[in-house]
Amino acid sequence: MSFLEDETSDSGVDSRSRLESYVFSCELSSEVPFYTFQADEDEGVEHFLELRTICLGDGAKEENNVVEVTAMNHQGKKISVPVANLNISCLPMVSLGEFELMAPVTLRLKSGSGPVTVSGLHLVATENEDSEISDEDDEDQDVSEEEMPSVKPAKKKQKV
């Protein structure tokens, strides 16, 4: 699935970007307790991991399974946050909505033996060629400026 973004999204992808999405999944267990989502460092390309669900797999024991995410915060520092505490008898699955993180991201089974499946989307934002889009935008902007009447601010009523 790929499409052109019209507006800025929560991920900071601007209107001149192409966004492609791919299915993502990994399984965490006592044998493989962590997974690191990394991306190639290409210029003009950003990679995001959008987590959707975390669920216990077949063979999960009656124990708490805590899944922790480690990623960069807004200050560029690594931060670790527990995002799910699953138990087979009361909470075998959690939906995270569209929990979006910029690569690199490490998923870790902090406690429990799993298996725990983490799924979501791998989003790839690439910059489009500016020349093609900017020419179209300039033409659209010229037309829209001519058609738009000038707007004057409304007069405020004074309370008596």
Side-chain angles (χ1 to χ4, degrees):
M1 177 177 155
S2 67
F3 55 91
L4 288 176
E5 287 287 305
D6 292 332
E7 299 174 3
T8 301
S9 69
D10 294 339
S11 64
V13 177
D14 71 13
S15 64
R16 298 185 195 280
S17 295
R18 178 180 175 91
L19 187 63
E20 297 176 353
S21 61
Y22 304 94
V23 174
F24 167 83
S25 179
C26 72
E27 185 175 278
L28 305 174
S29 65
S30 55
E31 289 83 32
V32 183
F34 68 93
Y35 175 85
T36 300
F37 170 79
Q38 294 182 332
D40 300 330
E41 294 188 20
D42 296 334
E43 192 171 316
V45 179
E46 290 183 308
H47 295 266
F48 299 91
L49 182 59
E50 185 176 285
L51 300 178
R52 296 280 179 101
T53 59
I54 302 175
C55 64
L56 290 173
D58 284 340
K61 298 176 185 171
E62 182 65 42
E63 62 184 358
N64 285 351
N65 289 270
V66 177
V67 178
E68 178 182 77
V69 171
T70 302
M72 296 287 188
N73 68 7
H74 68 284
Q75 298 172 330
K77 296 180 182 177
K78 279 189 176 181
I79 184 170
S80 296
V81 178
V83 292
N85 186 351
L86 305 176
N87 189 295
I88 197 71
S89 63
C90 63
L91 187 64
M93 180 182 141
V94 66
S95 177
L96 298 173
E98 297 175 6
F99 186 52
E100 198 171 291
L101 301 159
M102 186 178 286
V105 177
T106 299
L107 303 162
R108 184 168 76 104
L109 186 58
K110 189 171 182 176
S111 69
S113 57
V116 175
T117 301
V118 181
S119 62
L121 296 174
H122 172 190
L123 304 174
V124 181
T126 53
E127 292 180 20
N128 284 331
E129 297 298 320
D130 289 338
S131 59
E132 183 181 316
I133 291 178
S134 62
D135 290 344
E136 292 173 9
D137 287 348
D138 290 344
E139 290 172 10
D140 291 343
Q141 192 173 21
D142 292 342
V143 172
S144 62
E145 286 177 4
E146 292 171 6
E147 294 174 1
M148 295 289 291
S150 60
V151 179
K152 297 179 182 176
K155 294 182 181 179
K156 293 182 180 179
K157 292 183 181 180
Q158 293 182 343
K159 294 182 180 178
V160 180

